[in-house]
């Protein structure tokens, strides 16, 4: 698509003049053509005409198209997202701000959010991932929080697909390159591979920051006449219509859309963080907003709209790194490392001195008005004049048709034969793409910069980062099992929340709140909209039962290429707190401990990783989630960790009990001898089934733990004892920890060395 800012393709209906009260309007035929190119449906364009009472200018059409894009307006998802619980006594700010904010005690707040950069990461993997990290960092520090940790949730295509290796390499380098340079540790995440992501990888980035709870900065503009200030890096032509591109399916020529991918500068981001933190220590900021998707358009429209005021911008003052930029280009550019602020009157010199000291651009580009309109001028001409209220209130809101996902039958364990045996299956599973060591990835991330990381990637079910000058720490994780979600989206949504809760619990921390990243295909297809609606229902039920509110999030739809959609992937990012970081535990085994399995085991093989990787089948209902049992088991485990009874803990997830035990052995470098599977249940179903709500724990006194579990109504059984160099399963299976580790470490280095 040619840049319409450079070639309107038609003479405007009016020529701009210094005294014009109407911007240069597009000819009707050209306006309709551009509206379609920009992603506006015919009825949406008719609504634009009704709001304006006339044809739009190019800049006005651009503003409407990005603000009404799926990426910015959530026009297909808002009706469903309202079901999610967002309140709790510890929630300070829920959805609607740049990031969620929760009270973590001692006068502090945790600020966090997760957001997608999926489409850009397919087109330009390095910059797509890097700018995803930069954008989510800004969402957090714009609220006054210093970022302390990054996480990510990544999904790639089949390992054998010709594009997977290049995309994986670029995404990982982009995340590491940006995060490492900014000086924020990347402490956790997850990685999956599946053919559904061949043409549409998922790159979901999460940042967690810390702020004083009485010093949170919001985005609602206030104060008629107050100056509108631009700070950060200069504006270029990168990222124009990035939000529109992220709101449409990919086609065969999608890789040609590189101009819509932003280019990041982590060193400028670091300077921006420090400058903003310094300015926030003063008392001159009224409101502040990151220039993210849709750039100057979204930041100015949202700030003024939330504050119920008008805003007037003079784009001549916008710092520009390219010559001849038009108003359209400046308003829609998604150049990185930029912020928009409303300052108290007469305080511009205070802010300017700080930003000049940090060698960043500073410019007063407008002021607030009482008109309730956004007015944009450039070179003496009026470029846009739009009423703000209907830009939001009249934004499309769709109740799209839904079709329920057909339920799959329960797969009875006794009917599924074991084609491999326990030993061969375990070696295959720990070396499989979804369970292999992520060390090749982690080693490219600096997980300890800042010196507060207590549990590094691979050491615990959740990352642990200490709060500076405190005995307390935050636990954080990301999780989702897409193969469960495609089989039963409601159960899959429920399980994603429950597993994130379980991961936090397994360290000894108390889960407090989640952020979500809803990655789905084309919402105009009833079956996809049905997946979305069902996943939200499942998430809502789990969040309610576990007192685990949603405080922020992101929706990424149209994750399809040439009509082929991804697996539904409602990724969950979670945060919890532990009062004494010395009590936080990981899952590595030590010598001489007794192992106990907590939770009920029925040998659920439907949609299990064993079924896919060993039996070559993807079928059956996914394991059900009993939320009351989840709560009961998790609360019991957390209490036993905090009183010192449990010294290592691993939740049972992909691959089942034997994979969990193997991971504990590999992390600790210590083997274990495990008892035989109970009678009446096939051995492969007991060891590899993926029943929910379970933990493998290590303790010095199994009898006392089992007695406590019985008293609490929590099912538990003795599993074995740690020690030696081998993992031994009664019945003749013996695998050295060294052999397990070799199989575990092999896959990613081999893939990337091709």
């Amino acid at each position: 698509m040619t840049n319409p800012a450079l070639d309107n393709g038609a003479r405007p209906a009016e020529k701009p003049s210094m005294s014009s009260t109407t911007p240069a309007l597009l000819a009707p035929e050209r306006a309709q053509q551009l509206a379609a190119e920009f992603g506006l449906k015919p009825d949406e364009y008719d609504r634009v005409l009704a709001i304006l009472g006339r044809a739009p200018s190019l800049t006005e059409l651009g503003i409407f198209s990005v603000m009404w894009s799926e990426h910015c307006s959530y026009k297909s998802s808002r009706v469903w997202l309202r079901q999610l619980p967002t309140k709790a006594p510890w929630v300070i700010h829920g959805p609607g701000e740049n990031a969620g904010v929760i009270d973590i005690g001692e006068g502090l707040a945790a600020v966090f959010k997760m957001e997608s950069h999926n489409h850009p990461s397919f087109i330009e993997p390095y910059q797509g991932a890097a700018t995803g990290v930069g954008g989510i960092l800004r969402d957090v520090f714009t609220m006054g929080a210093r970022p302390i940790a990054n996480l990510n949730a990544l999904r790639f295509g089949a390992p054998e697909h010709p594009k997977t290796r290049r995309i994986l390499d670029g995404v990982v380098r982009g995340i590491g390159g940006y995060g490492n340079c900014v000086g924020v540790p990347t402490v956790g995440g997850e990685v999956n591979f599946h053919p559904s992501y061949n043409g549409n990888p998922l790159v979901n980035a999460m940042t967690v920051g810390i702020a004083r709870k009485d010093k949170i900065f919001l985005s609602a503009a206030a104060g008629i006449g107050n100056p509108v200030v631009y700070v950060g890096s200069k504006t270029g032509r990168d990222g124009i219509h990035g939000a529109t591109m992220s709101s449409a399916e990919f086609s065969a020529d999608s890789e040609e859309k590189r101009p819509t991918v932003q280019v990041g500068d982590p060193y400028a981001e670091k300077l921006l963080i420090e400058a903003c933190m310094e300015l926030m220590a003063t008392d001159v900021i009224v409101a502040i907003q990151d220039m993210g998707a849709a750039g100057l358009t979204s930041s100015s429209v949202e700030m003024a709209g939330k504050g119920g005021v008008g805003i007037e911008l003079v784009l001549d003052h916008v710092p520009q790194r390219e010559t001849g930029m038009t108003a359209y280009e400046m308003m829609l550019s998604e150049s990185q490392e930029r912020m928009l602020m409303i300052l108290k009157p007469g305080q511009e010199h205070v802010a300017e001195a700080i930003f000049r000291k940090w060698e960043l651009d500073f410019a007063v580009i407008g002021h607030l008005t009482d008109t309730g309109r956004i007015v944009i001028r450039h070179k003496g001409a009026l470029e846009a004049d739009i009423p703000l209220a209907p830009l939001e209130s009249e934004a499309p809101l769709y109740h799209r048709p839904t079709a329920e996902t057909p339920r799959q039958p329960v797969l009875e364990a006794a009917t599924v034969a074991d084609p491999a045996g326990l030993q061969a299956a375990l070696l295959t599973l720990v070396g499989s793409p979804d369970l292999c060591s992520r060390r090749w990835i982690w080693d490219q991330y600096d997980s300890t910069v800042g010196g507060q990381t207590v549990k590094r990637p691979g050491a615990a079910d959740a990352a642990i980062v200490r709060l500076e000058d405190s005995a307390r720490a935050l636990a954080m994780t990301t999780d989702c099992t897409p193969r469960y979600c495609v089989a039963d989206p409601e159960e899959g949504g429920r399980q994603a929340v429950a597993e994130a809760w379980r991961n936090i619990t397994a360290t000894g921390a108390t889960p407090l709140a989640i952020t979500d990243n809803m990655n789905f295909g084309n919402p105009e297809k009833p079956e996809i909209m049905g997946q979305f609606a069902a996943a939200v229902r499942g998430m809502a039920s789990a969040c309610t039962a576990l007192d685990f509110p949603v405080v922020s999030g992101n929706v990424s739809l149209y994750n399809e290429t040439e009509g082929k959609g991804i697996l539904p992937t409602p990724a969950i990012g979670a945060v919890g707190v532990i009062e004494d970081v010395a009590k936080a535990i990981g899952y590595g085994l030590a010598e001489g401990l007794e192992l106990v399995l907590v939770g009920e085991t029925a040998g659920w093989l439907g949609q299990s990783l064993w079924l896919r990787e060993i039996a070559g089948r993807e079928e059956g209902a996914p394991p059900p989630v009993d939320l009351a049992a989840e709560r009961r088991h998790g609360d019991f485990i957390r209490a036993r960790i905090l009183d010192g009874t449990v010294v290592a803990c691993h939740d049972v997830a992909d691959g089942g009990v034997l994979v969990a035990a193997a991971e504990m052995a590999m992390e600790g470098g210590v083997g274990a001898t495990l008892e035989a599977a109970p009678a009446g249940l096939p051995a492969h179903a007991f060891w590899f089934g993926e029943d929910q709500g379970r933990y493998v724990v290590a303790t010095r006194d199994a009898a006392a733990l089992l007695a406590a579990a019985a008293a609490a109504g929590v099912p538990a059984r003795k599993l074995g004892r740690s020690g030696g160099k081998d993992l031994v399963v009664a019945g003749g299976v013996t695998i050295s920890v060294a052999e397990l580790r070799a199989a575990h470490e092999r896959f990613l280095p081999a893939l990337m060395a091709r």
Side-chain angles (χ1 to χ4, degrees):
M1 183 176 72
T2 59
N3 188 339
L6 302 179
D7 177 15
N8 284 357
R11 295 183 62 82
E14 286 186 29
K15 293 183 178 180
S17 69
M18 295 295 288
S19 60
S20 175
T21 58
T22 304
L25 308 183
L26 291 165
E29 299 81 5
R30 182 57 173 158
Q32 288 180 329
Q33 178 189 352
L34 286 175
E37 289 184 18
F38 292 173
L40 288 171
K41 307 289 187 186
D43 62 317
E44 294 173 348
Y45 178 64
D46 289 343
R47 198 174 304 181
V48 171
L49 297 179
I51 290 170
L52 292 175
R54 55 172 170 76
S57 70
L58 176 64
T59 302
E60 289 172 335
L61 185 61
I63 289 172
F64 273 100
S65 70
V66 293
M67 293 308 299
W68 287 5
S69 69
E70 193 73 61
H71 188 80
C72 291
S73 74
Y74 289 19
K75 57 190 175 185
S76 298
S77 59
R78 294 203 313 272
V79 294
W80 301 105
L81 296 175
R82 291 167 183 164
Q83 300 177 28
L84 295 171
T86 60
K87 299 183 184 301
W90 53 90
V91 174
I92 298 173
H93 292 289
E97 280 298 334
N98 286 291
V101 185
I102 58 173
D103 188 340
I104 57 172
E106 296 185 349
L108 297 177
V111 181
F112 62 100
K113 187 182 180 183
M114 182 158 57
E115 195 162 73
S116 61
H117 237 220
N118 303 336
H119 285 56
S121 297
F122 174 75
I123 296 169
E124 187 64 63
Y126 183 94
Q127 289 295 348
T131 52
V133 173
I136 198 63
L137 282 165
R138 290 192 298 281
D139 279 339
V140 167
F141 75 75
T142 192
M143 299 196 70
R146 179 169 291 278
I148 64 167
N150 289 330
L151 299 92
N152 50 74
L154 310 177
R155 266 85 192 180
F156 300 107
E160 63 274 12
H161 190 272
K163 292 182 180 178
T164 296
R165 183 175 171 274
R166 178 185 67 85
I167 293 173
L168 170 61
D169 174 65
V171 165
V172 171
R173 284 190 298 107
I175 291 170
Y178 204 101
N180 296 352
C181 291
V182 171
V184 178
T186 301
V187 298
E190 54 174 339
V191 183
N192 290 152
F193 295 84
H194 191 274
S196 74
Y197 305 108
N198 282 348
N200 205 126
L202 302 185
V203 177
N204 298 168
M206 176 177 171
T207 292
V208 182
I210 299 295
R212 282 173 41 195
K213 73 174 187 178
D214 62 351
K215 197 74 171 173
I216 302 297
F217 289 82
L218 304 180
S219 56
I224 304 306
N226 280 353
V228 178
V229 172
Y230 171 120
V231 300
S233 296
K234 289 180 169 60
T235 293
R237 291 190 171 97
D238 53 318
I240 294 173
H241 266 296
T244 305
M245 179 268 292
S246 294
S247 304
E249 288 186 29
F250 275 160
S251 57
D253 64 351
S254 291
E255 289 180 87
E256 297 175 9
K257 296 181 178 178
R258 283 185 172 82
T260 61
V261 178
Q262 311 92 323
V263 178
D265 181 350
Y267 299 104
E269 182 98 339
K270 175 62 174 172
L271 298 177
L272 188 58
I273 292 174
E274 298 306 327
C276 287
M277 292 290 108
E278 184 174 340
L279 184 62
M280 287 167 171
T282 70
D283 189 31
V284 307
I285 298 176
V286 175
I288 180 170
Q289 173 90 12
D290 148 53
M291 289 193 218
L296 187 52
T297 288
S298 63
S299 55
S300 57
V301 167
E302 289 174 9
M303 292 179 82
K306 286 179 182 178
V309 297
I311 188 168
E312 184 162 335
L313 304 178
V314 180
L315 301 186
D316 307 66
H317 304 315
V318 170
Q320 301 162 52
R321 68 166 183 260
E322 299 184 46
T323 59
M325 291 193 72
T326 65
Y328 167 91
E329 291 174 319
M330 283 186 274
M331 290 303 295
L332 271 67
S333 167
E334 294 185 8
S335 294
Q336 297 292 283
E337 296 86 38
R338 302 179 301 158
M339 311 285 277
L340 198 66
M341 297 181 180
I342 309 300
L343 299 182
K344 292 183 177 179
Q347 299 300 308
E348 296 92 328
H349 66 286
V350 176
E352 182 171 12
I354 290 172
F355 281 91
R356 298 295 185 202
K357 182 184 78 171
W358 289 100
E359 299 182 348
L360 294 166
D361 279 289
F362 175 96
V364 178
I365 65 168
H367 63 278
L368 300 183
T369 70
D370 62 0
T371 65
R373 306 177 74 87
I374 180 168
V375 175
I376 298 165
R377 302 182 189 279
H378 185 222
K379 296 183 177 179
L382 180 65
E383 296 285 348
D385 185 354
I386 303 172
L388 285 166
L391 190 57
E392 178 183 2
S393 64
E394 295 297 316
L397 178 62
Y398 293 124
H399 295 72
R400 296 194 185 278
T402 61
E404 291 293 317
T405 300
R407 294 294 179 94
Q408 297 200 33
V410 172
L411 197 61
E412 298 295 339
T415 67
V416 183
D418 179 4
L422 299 185
Q423 185 159 324
L426 180 60
L427 285 168
T428 297
L429 285 172
V430 298
S432 66
D434 279 3
L435 287 177
C436 70
S437 169
R438 274 50 177 146
R439 190 175 305 280
W440 181 88
I441 296 174
W442 297 332
D443 283 350
Q444 297 185 56
Y445 302 156
D446 190 335
S447 61
T448 60
V449 62
Q452 303 302 313
T453 305
V454 176
K455 296 295 181 185
R456 298 180 62 182
D461 285 332
I464 303 289
V465 178
R466 187 196 318 268
L467 302 179
E468 198 166 1
D469 301 322
S470 174
R472 304 162 75 247
L474 292 184
M476 53 202 83
T477 188
T478 65
D479 228 305
C480 183
T481 310
R483 64 181 186 279
Y484 293 173
C485 296
V486 73
D488 186 335
E490 184 168 353
E491 203 67 66
R494 188 176 294 120
Q495 190 274 342
V497 172
E499 187 169 352
W501 189 87
R502 207 182 305 143
N503 287 341
I504 299 286
T505 292
T507 67
T510 300
L512 291 178
I514 71 169
T515 180
D516 60 54
N517 208 143
M518 307 293 286
N519 306 275
F520 289 78
N522 185 343
E524 297 169 49
K525 297 178 179 178
E527 64 273 20
I528 301 300
M529 207 64 241
Q531 290 175 343
F532 187 94
V536 170
R537 288 198 305 269
M539 291 165 56
S541 64
C543 290
T544 300
L546 300 173
D547 286 332
F548 210 23
V550 182
V551 298
S552 60
N554 174 248
V555 175
S556 175
L557 301 178
Y558 294 97
N559 288 288
E560 297 200 4
T561 298
E562 297 183 330
K564 296 179 181 178
I566 61 165
L567 298 184
T569 311
I572 303 297
V575 171
V577 68
I578 186 166
E579 296 297 325
D580 183 355
V581 70
K583 294 183 177 181
I585 65 171
Y587 55 68
L589 289 180
E591 290 278 353
L593 299 173
E594 294 183 285
L595 303 182
V596 173
L597 173 61
V598 174
E600 198 70 57
T601 299
W604 197 282
L605 291 177
Q607 298 300 328
S608 67
L609 211 56
W610 179 91
L611 189 71
R612 189 181 82 189
E613 298 293 327
I614 307 304
R617 299 162 60 181
E618 294 185 67
E619 61 184 274
V625 179
D626 182 333
L627 291 168
E630 282 282 0
R631 184 67 181 260
R632 187 166 58 251
H633 300 175
D635 290 348
F636 173 78
I637 287 291
R638 191 182 312 106
R640 301 292 77 77
I641 292 171
L642 296 179
D643 71 13
T645 302
V646 169
V647 297
C649 180
H650 198 4
D651 83 305
V652 179
D654 288 350
V657 173
L658 195 53
V659 166
E663 290 174 341
M664 296 174 80
M666 288 187 286
E667 172 59 21
V670 174
T673 298
L674 307 180
E675 297 180 359
L681 190 63
H684 61 283
F686 175 79
W687 290 114
F688 299 119
E690 295 181 6
D691 305 83
Q692 297 296 292
R694 297 185 298 163
Y695 304 80
V696 174
V697 303
T699 180
R700 297 181 184 88
D701 188 348
L705 182 63
L706 291 169
V714 173
R717 58 175 287 132
K718 179 77 176 295
L719 190 63
R721 187 175 184 85
S722 66
K725 299 297 183 184
D726 298 329
L727 184 64
V728 179
V729 181
V733 175
T734 300
I735 312 173
S736 72
V737 175
E739 185 179 3
L740 280 170
R741 185 173 287 148
H744 189 52
E745 298 280 353
R746 187 177 301 128
F747 176 77
L748 278 176
L751 173 67
M752 303 312 295
R754 289 179 187 170

